[in-house]
């Protein structure tokens, strides 16, 4: 019938054309999904090993992540609000933060004019390093930024730290000593997203000038520029593959940029401005928007696999009922655990349902203020939130009772995580 033919065409349009290698990797991920129902490989060792070997063969040696992390949400206990540690030092709202790969240090930045960038020790909570800022146009005379820092990223070996500011600049730092090494110029508006490609010193940057740039930090070199978004880029992320994903603000799209092919895939599903994005693994990502929705995506589908509307509830704004904006998202890599933040007085933890086709709420963690940045530790034993009295990109609201601070939220597990080794011990 005509209606059946139309539905089939629409379904085909939602599918993203994939290369043979991408298909193999997708099938490998499906084998890992099957492992979920068997839990630890000690329960069904023969079948577990068979599926794992099949997945490795299809992946062609690619890193598939630790299969023990897949169902981490079943192990995490509801966080105790009294165990949350608060680090104070920034005078103005936190805008971004990152955790070092060894989970020992936190780097943070804010809207401060003086305290531009801080380095914190996780165990003691001590502030180890402060880089002061200065006036616009004096960046060459002092070490810090001269305007608000909007984003930061750290290389997967912890050697380099990159920070991007409202004044179009990207600064590269030695993460160990907090010494500035280089300044990248080239963007024509605020730099709002940064990410190092895992295992390399290749840096991706997104900007309010609507373009993505690629840099080689080790050689202090610019590589190329990619165009496509119709509005400002508000968030950016990447993993091991030579690609990155971006959130396009009010153009309503998420985009996957394939760097070698100089091509892009366009995903749409939110109704508002898409303000934050993060990859969960090489095949799935999560995003949040100011329409209050949180979306789960598969990189082979142009529409969301799951969409949670009004994820943080509704607020009364000047007599109108509006959803709380989702201002930050975080995903524990290669797991089913996701966190989202807003200014609804709580951070929410979510479980990604089977096949990443569901988004199920787990717990609320009470935190007052705008949650402008969220990051899981690599081991998954704590979550860090950057709080502020204002949103990182503007001053639409001000929450006076909020504290501009960094909150470390312990995530206790009911059982010890299984060994990350492959089942055959290799």
């Amino acid at each position: 019938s005509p209606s059946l033919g139309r539905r089939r065409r629409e379904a085909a349009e939602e599918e993203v054309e994939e290369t043979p290698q991408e298909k193999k990797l997708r099938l490998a991920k499906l084998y890992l999904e099957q492992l979920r129902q068997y839990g630890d490989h000690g329960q069904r060792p023969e079948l577990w090993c068979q599926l794992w070997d099949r997945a490795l063969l299809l992946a062609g040696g690619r890193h598939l992540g630790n299969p023990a992390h897949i169902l981490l949400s079943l192990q995490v206990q509801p966080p105790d609000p009294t165990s949350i540690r608060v680090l104070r030092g920034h005078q103005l709202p936190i805008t971004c933060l990152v955790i070092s790969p060894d989970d020992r240090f936190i780097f943070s930045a804010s809207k401060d004019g003086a305290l531009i960038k801080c380095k914190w020790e996780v165990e003691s909570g001590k502030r180890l390093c402060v880089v002061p800022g200065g006036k616009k146009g004096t960046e060459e005379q002092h070490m810090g930024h001269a305007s608000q820092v909007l984003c930061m990223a750290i290389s997967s070996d912890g050697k380099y730290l990159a920070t991007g500011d409202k004044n179009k600049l990207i600064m590269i730092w030695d993460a160990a000593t907090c010494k500035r090494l280089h300044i990248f110029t080239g963007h024509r508006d605020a730099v709002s997203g940064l990410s190092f490609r895992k295992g390399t010193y290749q840096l991706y940057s997104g900007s309010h000038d609507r373009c993505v740039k690629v840099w080689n930090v080790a050689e202090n070199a610019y590589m190329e520029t990619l165009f496509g978004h119709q509005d400002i880029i508000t968030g950016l992320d990447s993993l091991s593959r030579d690609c990155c994903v971006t959130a396009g603000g009010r153009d309503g799209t998420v985009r996957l940029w394939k760097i070698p092919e100089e091509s892009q895939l366009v995903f749409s599903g939110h109704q508002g401005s898409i303000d934050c994005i993060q990859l969960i693994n090489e095949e799935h990502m999560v995003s949040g928007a100011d329409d209050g929705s949180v979306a789960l995506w598969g990189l082979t589908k142009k529409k969301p696999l799951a969409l949670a509307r009004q994820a943080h509830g509704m607020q009364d704004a000047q007599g109108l009922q509006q959803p709380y904006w989702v201002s930050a998202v975080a995903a524990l890599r290669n797991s089913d655990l996701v966190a989202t933040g807003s200014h609804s007085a709580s951070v929410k933890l979510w479980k990604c349902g089977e096949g990443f086709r569901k988004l199920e709420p787990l717990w609320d963690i009470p935190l007052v203020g705008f949650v402008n940045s969220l990051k899981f530790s690599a081991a998954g034993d704590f979550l860090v939130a950057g709080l502020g009295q204002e949103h990182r990109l503007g001053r639409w609201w001000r929450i006076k009772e909020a504290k501009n601070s960094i909150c470390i939220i312990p995530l206790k597990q009911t059982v010890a995580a299984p060994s990350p080794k492959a089942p055959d011990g290799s």
Side-chain angles (χ1 to χ4, degrees):
S1 68
S3 60
L4 179 59
R6 185 172 62 255
R7 286 198 299 271
R8 284 177 176 170
R9 284 195 301 273
E10 289 173 353
E13 287 175 357
E14 288 185 11
E15 296 288 344
V16 173
E17 191 173 339
E18 58 185 347
T19 65
Q21 184 57 38
E22 288 172 337
K23 183 176 181 180
K24 285 183 178 181
L25 193 59
R26 178 174 58 82
L27 292 174
K29 294 289 184 178
L30 289 177
Y31 280 121
L32 289 185
E33 287 293 326
Q34 293 180 42
L35 294 176
R36 300 174 67 168
Q37 60 184 301
Y38 300 110
D40 186 7
H41 60 267
Q43 299 175 16
R44 295 287 301 277
E46 316 85 12
L47 185 56
W48 207 97
C49 290
Q50 184 181 9
L51 290 171
W52 179 245
D53 288 341
R54 233 179 256 175
L56 285 178
L57 181 65
L58 278 168
R62 288 181 185 233
H63 178 61
L64 294 176
N66 176 6
H69 273 176
I70 290 177
L71 283 176
L72 196 65
S73 65
L74 297 180
Q75 301 172 13
V76 176
Q77 295 177 340
D80 179 4
T82 62
S83 66
I84 297 174
R85 297 163 56 205
V86 179
L87 308 182
R88 299 289 307 278
H90 290 287
Q91 300 302 310
L92 292 180
I94 311 296
T95 54
C96 54
L97 57 84
V98 293
I99 306 172
S100 63
D102 59 8
D103 290 345
R104 292 179 56 203
F105 305 106
I106 297 169
F107 296 88
S108 62
S110 77
K111 294 184 178 182
D112 295 358
L115 300 179
I116 293 296
K117 182 172 71 69
C118 290
K119 180 179 180 180
W120 309 81
E121 186 176 53
V122 172
E123 185 175 353
S124 65
K126 291 181 180 178
R127 191 170 62 190
L128 303 179
C129 174
V130 176
V131 180
K135 293 183 179 180
K136 185 176 179 180
T138 64
E139 288 88 353
E140 294 293 344
Q141 283 75 49
H142 61 84
M143 288 295 293
H145 288 270
S147 60
Q148 297 176 13
V149 179
L150 299 181
C151 55
M152 56 184 8
I154 192 166
S155 59
S156 53
D157 63 356
K159 182 178 180 180
Y160 294 114
L161 181 76
T163 54
D165 69 14
K166 205 169 181 179
N167 195 29
K168 317 171 194 175
L169 299 180
I170 299 171
M171 293 190 182
I172 307 300
W173 309 80
D174 183 317
T177 63
C178 290
K179 294 295 178 70
R180 193 180 72 199
L181 304 176
H182 193 68
I183 298 179
F184 286 136
T185 60
H187 280 295
R188 291 170 294 144
D189 207 335
V191 181
S192 51
L194 288 168
S195 180
F196 279 94
R197 181 185 175 193
K198 189 175 179 182
T200 75
Y201 296 137
Q202 186 167 300
L203 177 69
Y204 305 114
S205 63
S207 167
H208 287 188
D209 65 11
R210 301 179 292 180
C211 72
V212 173
K213 290 185 183 289
V214 186
W215 315 83
N216 185 323
V217 170
E219 299 179 5
N220 294 333
Y222 159 79
M223 296 175 67
E224 60 183 309
T225 302
L226 304 170
F227 300 93
H229 276 296
Q230 304 302 306
D231 194 29
I232 65 172
I233 294 174
T234 53
L236 181 148
D237 196 22
S238 67
L239 280 175
S240 300
R241 294 162 68 178
D242 197 0
C243 62
C244 64
V245 295
T246 53
R250 295 211 171 273
D251 76 2
T253 67
V254 166
R255 298 188 184 226
L256 169 68
W257 304 83
K258 297 184 177 182
I259 308 301
E261 295 91 342
E262 295 186 3
S263 64
Q264 58 190 283
L265 300 177
V266 181
F267 306 82
S268 58
H270 289 288
Q271 300 300 312
S273 174
I274 307 173
D275 287 349
C276 45
I277 190 166
Q278 188 169 13
L279 284 160
I280 302 172
N281 53 41
E282 297 284 10
E283 302 298 321
H284 301 91
M285 56 187 170
V286 60
S287 62
D290 70 1
D291 63 359
S293 63
V294 177
L296 276 180
W297 309 82
L299 299 189
T300 59
K301 292 276 189 181
K302 294 182 179 179
K303 298 293 182 182
L305 300 178
L307 187 68
R309 302 183 188 277
Q310 300 174 17
H312 282 257
M314 301 290 286
Q315 63 176 326
D316 186 7
Q318 298 177 344
L320 297 175
Q321 286 293 308
Q322 297 179 354
Y324 282 102
W325 296 5
V326 178
S327 53
V329 295
L332 181 57
R333 305 292 194 190
N334 302 305
S335 80
D336 63 347
L337 194 60
V338 168
T340 61
S342 181
H343 61 288
S344 60
S346 70
V347 166
K348 286 181 175 286
L349 290 181
W350 306 77
K351 172 190 174 182
C352 300
E354 187 173 351
F356 292 88
R357 294 185 178 276
K358 291 181 181 178
L359 199 56
E360 304 167 12
L362 292 174
W363 308 292
D364 286 10
I365 305 166
L367 287 178
V368 176
F370 280 87
V371 181
N372 288 326
S373 187
L374 282 171
K375 288 289 186 296
F376 281 100
S377 64
D381 54 352
F382 64 90
L383 173 68
V384 181
L387 292 182
Q389 294 181 330
E390 302 168 351
H391 191 282
R392 69 186 179 97
L393 295 178
R395 305 187 69 179
W396 297 282
W397 295 281
R398 183 175 176 83
I399 303 175
K400 293 182 179 180
E401 60 271 25
K403 306 295 183 184
N404 298 317
S405 58
I406 297 163
C407 297
I408 302 176
I409 305 161
L411 299 175
K412 295 182 180 179
Q413 298 186 20
T414 54
V415 293
S419 169
K421 291 183 179 180
D424 60 2
S426 62

